[in-house]
Amino acid sequence: MKKRNLRKTVTGTALALSLTLTGFVGSVGAAETGDKVLQEMKSMTKSNFDVVWNKDTNVPTFVSGKLSSKPVKDVGEVKQYLNEKRDLYGLDPNSDLLFVKKSQDEFGMTHYEFTQSVEGVPVYGARFTIHTDEKDIVTAITGNVHPNAAQELDHNLKADLSEKDAILQAWKSIDLTKKETKVEKADKNALKESSNLPNSSVKNTAEKAELVVYSEKDTSKLAYHVELQFIYPEPGNWQIFIDAKDGSVVDSYNAVMDGATTGYGYGVLGDYKELNTYLSNGSYFLYDVTNPMSGVIETFTANNGTSLPGYRSVDSDNAFTAYSQGADVDAHAYADKVYDYFYNTFGRNSFDGNGSTIRSTVHYGSNYNNAFWNGQQMVYGDGDGSTFNPLSGALDIVAHELTHAVTDYSADLVYQDQPGALNESMSDVFSVFVEREDYLLGEDVYTPGTSGDALRSLSNPPAYGQPDHMDDYVYTSSDNGGVHTNSGIPNKAGYYTVNSIGVVKAENIYYRALTVYLSPYSNFSDTRSALLQSAADYYGYGSEYNAVASAWDNVGVY
Ligand code: D38
Ligand code: ZN
Ligand code: CA
C-alpha cells in the first residue's frame, strides 16, 4: 500500500540526468515532455541538481538546484512559474492547486505551500511546496502530487456517505463498536473517580472526518479521512480512509507512536497528581524523560520481593489510580520534585551533578518499615500499615534518601561515628529544605493511626530519643556508632540556623559546605568551620555568619 520513492541523485552532467529518465518506466510521452522541462531547469543550474522520482505517479517529488532564471516573488508569480512547468507535473496551478500559505525562514528563504485538489476536494497528502532563496530564485520544488487524480475521478466528487456514516464505518472496521460504549464509560468513571481532577479531558477521546481524494498508483477515490483517537482499551490514533461512495475501507492504520506522555494517579495519601510517563508497546511506564538530564527518572516495583530493581511500574491506560499504585506514583513524582529542587536551587543536575538516572523501587519486601539508598538507587518498603504507610508517600523521606546520594557524590561522608551522623543530618536538614513546611521527618507516613508524631525532629531531637547537645553524645557500637542518634546534634544546629536566617540563606550555606568544604572524615567541628566559611563566602562576616556560630555554640560544638 505504501508508495516507494525512487531516489537518484544527479550531480553535474546532463548525461546523468537523461540516464535517470531512461531508466524510468511509465508513460513515456509525459516523461519526455517532462524531460524537456527538467533539461531547461538543469541548464540554469551550475552546481548540484537533484531529482527524486515517484515511480507510481511519474512526477518528481523532489527537485533542487537553481530552478528559475528570473526571480519569482509572490503567489501569482509562483503560479505563473508552475504554469510553465505544467508538462513536468501535469497540473494546472489555477485549477489543481490550492494555495495554503507562504512562510519565510531564518535562511532568507520563502516557502509557498499548496495542496493539490480536485474540484475543491484536497488530495490527501498532496502537499506541494515551492522554495525560493533570498534572491527569489526557485531552489526546490517538493511534495507528492497526483497528476491523474482529476481524470481518474471523472467529475464524480459527490459523497454518497455522510460524515457520520463514515465515522461509524471506521469504528466498525477496527472492531471497537462495542468498545465504543466502553470508551465513554471509562471516561465517565475517570471523571467520577476524581472530581478533583483539574482537567477532565486527560483520557482524550476524539473522532473527526474530512472528505479527501485518496490517490495511490493509478487509482483515486473519493474518501473520508477518519481519525479516531483514544487511549481505552488500548492507545489508538487510527487513520482510516472510508470510501465515500460505498463505505468500504480504503486504508487503515494505527499511528500511535511511542514516546513521552503525561499520565496521572493518586499518591499514598490519595492525592491526585500528574505523572511523567512513557508509552511503549501500548503500555505506560513510570519513566520520565522530560528533565534536562542525560538519564531519566524511573520507578520500579519489587512486588513484595527483595530483588532489585524489580519490575518496571506499568499501567495500561496511563491512569495510575489503583490503591496499590500509590507507592509507585509518589516515589516517581517525589523523585522528580527532589531532582527539581537540586537543579533549580543549586543548578545540580541529578545526585551526581552529571544527569544520572534516578531509580526508585517500591513495594520492597513485606511490611518493610524502612526506606534507604543502597548506593545505586532508592528503595521503599510499604510499611506494616500501623507503624508506617508506604514510605515513598512522604516527600521528606524521598528527599532524605536522595540527599544520601548527593552526599555520596560530594562530601562522601563516611557512614560511621561523627561523619556518619553528619551524613544522616545532611539528609534530614535537606529534607526540611525540600519540603519547607515543618521541622519534622516522616510525619506524612509514620503511624497513620496517630496524628502529630514523626520519626525525628530538627527542632526537638530529644522528643525522638536523640541528643541535641555534645554533652549527651551517645557512644555505641550499634547503628554504625549511633548515626541515626547523634545526628540530633547537627540537626539542632541546622534548626537554629534556619530559624535565625531563613531557609533560603541556610540552604545556600549548607549546600556549599557539603559540596565544597566537607570531606569523608569531616567531624562536627569541621562542619561548623565549613558552614562558617560558606556563610562568609556568601554573606560576609555579618549576621548570617554569627547565626551559624551561635547555632553550633548552642549544641556544644566549637
Ligand atoms: C520506627 C519504628 C519501627 C521501625 C523503624 C522506625 C517504630 O516506631 O516502631 C525503622 N526506621 C525507619 C526510619 N528509621 N528507622 C526512618 C527512615 C527515614 C528516612 C524516614 C530512615 N531510614 C534509614 C536512612 O535512610 O538513613 O532513617 C535507613 C537506614 C538503612 C537501614 N539498613
Ligand atoms: Zn538516612
Ligand atoms: Ca516534614
Side-chain angles (χ1 to χ4, degrees):
M1 259 186 194
K2 280 269 115 71
K3 295 161 201 94
R4 212 157 290 149
N5 281 341
L6 177 73
R7 189 186 179 87
K8 281 192 185 162
T9 304
V10 184
T11 49
T13 65
L15 174 72
L17 174 60
S18 55
L19 275 178
T20 312
L21 291 168
T22 325
F24 167 77
V25 284
S27 47
V28 182
E32 268 171 0
T33 43
D35 188 6
K36 275 203 195 107
V37 179
L38 270 179
Q39 297 274 19
E40 249 172 63
M41 289 154 98
K42 165 65 187 145
S43 67
M44 293 174 233
T45 294
K46 291 189 180 67
S47 58
N48 285 358
F49 189 80
D50 191 1
V51 192
V52 183
W53 289 91
N54 183 313
K55 223 175 130 183
D56 295 330
T57 52
N58 294 344
V59 291
T61 58
F62 193 106
V63 185
S64 66
K66 181 178 180 271
L67 306 179
S68 67
S69 49
K70 285 185 299 187
V72 173
K73 288 201 282 282
D74 55 35
V75 181
E77 290 188 15
V78 167
K79 285 195 169 184
Q80 202 179 313
Y81 170 84
L82 288 173
N83 202 37
E84 291 159 15
K85 312 288 177 241
R86 268 178 82 159
D87 285 345
L88 185 57
Y89 289 99
L91 295 178
D92 177 344
N94 289 311
S95 58
D96 301 334
L97 291 178
L98 274 172
F99 173 66
V100 177
K101 68 169 194 268
K102 171 182 170 177
S103 58
Q104 251 147 345
D105 67 19
E106 66 271 34
F107 295 93
M109 293 184 69
T110 307
H111 312 276
Y112 299 88
E113 186 183 320
F114 296 84
T115 186
Q116 187 190 350
S117 68
V118 179
E119 293 172 29
V121 180
V123 177
Y124 182 76
R127 180 196 297 170
F128 190 62
T129 310
I130 285 70
H131 311 263
T132 59
D133 66 10
E134 68 284 344
K135 295 191 179 102
D136 296 314
I137 298 300
V138 177
T139 52
I141 306 175
T142 56
N144 273 278
V145 290
H146 300 267
N148 299 325
Q151 192 194 320
E152 284 158 14
L153 282 158
D154 194 23
H155 303 291
N156 206 347
L157 285 123
K158 202 187 146 319
D160 292 341
L161 232 64
S162 70
E163 259 183 37
K164 255 190 159 157
D165 293 339
I167 289 172
L168 217 72
Q169 285 299 108
W171 278 112
K172 231 186 240 174
S173 75
I174 56 171
D175 201 22
L176 279 168
T177 29
K178 280 175 236 100
K179 290 173 187 164
E180 187 183 7
T181 50
K182 225 175 169 182
V183 171
E184 287 163 356
K185 224 166 54 191
D187 277 353
K188 285 199 192 100
N189 280 344
L191 275 176
K192 207 172 62 194
E193 250 170 50
S194 47
S195 38
N196 57 339
L197 264 175
N199 171 4
S200 60
S201 67
V202 275
K203 288 225 175 188
N204 198 22
T205 301
E207 48 180 38
K208 53 187 172 208
E210 187 201 11
L211 193 64
V212 299
V213 170
Y214 187 86
S215 291
E216 61 169 337
K217 284 195 172 168
D218 52 0
T219 51
S220 291
K221 286 173 177 164
L222 189 66
Y224 283 100
H225 171 211
V226 182
E227 293 182 87
L228 305 177
Q229 289 150 344
F230 50 88
I231 61 168
Y232 230 78
E234 72 254 321
N237 177 17
W238 282 92
Q239 306 292 310
I240 303 167
F241 295 86
I242 301 290
D243 193 307
K245 296 281 177 192
D246 64 14
S248 65
V249 176
V250 177
D251 192 10
S252 169
Y253 58 91
N254 190 351
V256 143
M257 279 183 284
D258 287 4
T261 46
T262 307
Y264 66 92
Y266 300 114
V268 169
L269 303 178
D271 47 333
Y272 169 89
K273 54 195 72 179
E274 291 202 337
L275 298 165
N276 293 313
T277 57
Y278 199 91
L279 171 63
S280 177
N281 264 319
S283 293
Y284 296 90
F285 293 88
L286 293 182
Y287 188 90
D288 179 355
V289 298
T290 65
N291 290 299
M293 59 203 292
S294 44
V296 299
I297 296 175
E298 56 181 9
T299 303
F300 289 70
T301 171
N303 282 345
N304 298 118
T306 54
S307 293
L308 293 174
Y311 312 90
R312 286 194 183 281
S313 288
V314 62
D315 189 88
S316 61
D317 68 356
N318 220 6
F320 291 75
T321 49
Y323 181 74
S324 64
Q325 289 173 309
D328 310 55
V329 165
D330 276 342
H332 196 64
Y334 289 156
D336 184 44
K337 269 203 173 188
V338 179
Y339 168 89
D340 286 350
Y341 170 79
F342 279 103
Y343 187 71
N344 296 332
T345 313
F346 312 114
R348 187 184 189 86
N349 197 335
S350 191
F351 56 85
D352 64 347
N354 199 29
S356 273
T357 287
I358 298 174
R359 180 179 288 175
S360 310
T361 296
V362 297
H363 302 303
Y364 176 81
S366 175
N367 297 330
Y368 183 64
N369 283 323
N370 220 327
F372 56 93
W373 167 258
N374 77 347
Q376 309 218 59
Q377 65 160 104
M378 291 178 281
V379 183
Y380 303 94
D382 286 334
D384 59 15
S386 58
T387 313
F388 278 104
N389 270 155
L391 279 87
S392 59
L395 174 60
D396 54 12
I397 292 183
V398 174
H400 177 105
E401 300 309 339
L402 203 46
T403 302
H404 275 311
V406 172
T407 298
D408 283 359
Y409 280 85
S410 52
D412 196 17
L413 291 157
V414 169
Y415 206 59
Q416 261 190 340
D417 304 325
Q418 282 198 18
L422 285 163
N423 190 319
E424 265 310 308
S425 177
M426 285 296 174
S427 276
D428 285 352
V429 168
F430 276 87
S431 81
V432 165
F433 292 159
V434 172
E435 199 174 63
R436 276 172 147 73
E437 61 180 35
D438 52 48
Y439 290 104
L440 301 172
L441 179 71
E443 69 285 352
D444 289 340
V445 292
Y446 186 58
T447 56
T450 310
S451 68
D453 61 349
L455 276 149
R456 297 191 273 278
S457 163
L458 261 60
S459 59
N460 191 5
Y464 299 86
Q466 291 184 303
D468 66 352
H469 194 280
M470 280 308 282
D471 290 349
D472 303 315
Y473 189 95
V474 177
Y475 294 90
T476 170
S477 56
S478 67
D479 188 26
N480 294 354
V483 298
H484 292 92
T485 306
N486 291 315
S487 56
I489 296 165
N491 275 358
K492 186 67 177 269
Y495 160 75
Y496 285 131
T497 306
V498 173
N499 197 39
S500 164
I501 63 174
V503 67
V504 171
K505 285 177 177 172
E507 67 193 352
N508 286 334
I509 293 169
Y510 267 81
Y511 184 73
R512 185 164 172 78
L514 183 66
T515 56
V516 175
Y517 290 121
L518 292 176
S519 60
Y521 283 102
S522 293
N523 62 20
F524 288 6
S525 288
D526 295 323
T527 303
R528 173 193 167 109
S529 297
L531 291 164
L532 283 171
Q533 188 57 52
S534 300
D537 293 349
Y538 263 109
Y539 309 108
Y541 295 87
S543 57
E544 296 84 1
Y545 185 94
N546 293 332
V548 173
S550 0
W552 290 82
D553 286 350
N554 289 343
V555 298
V557 175
Y558 305 101

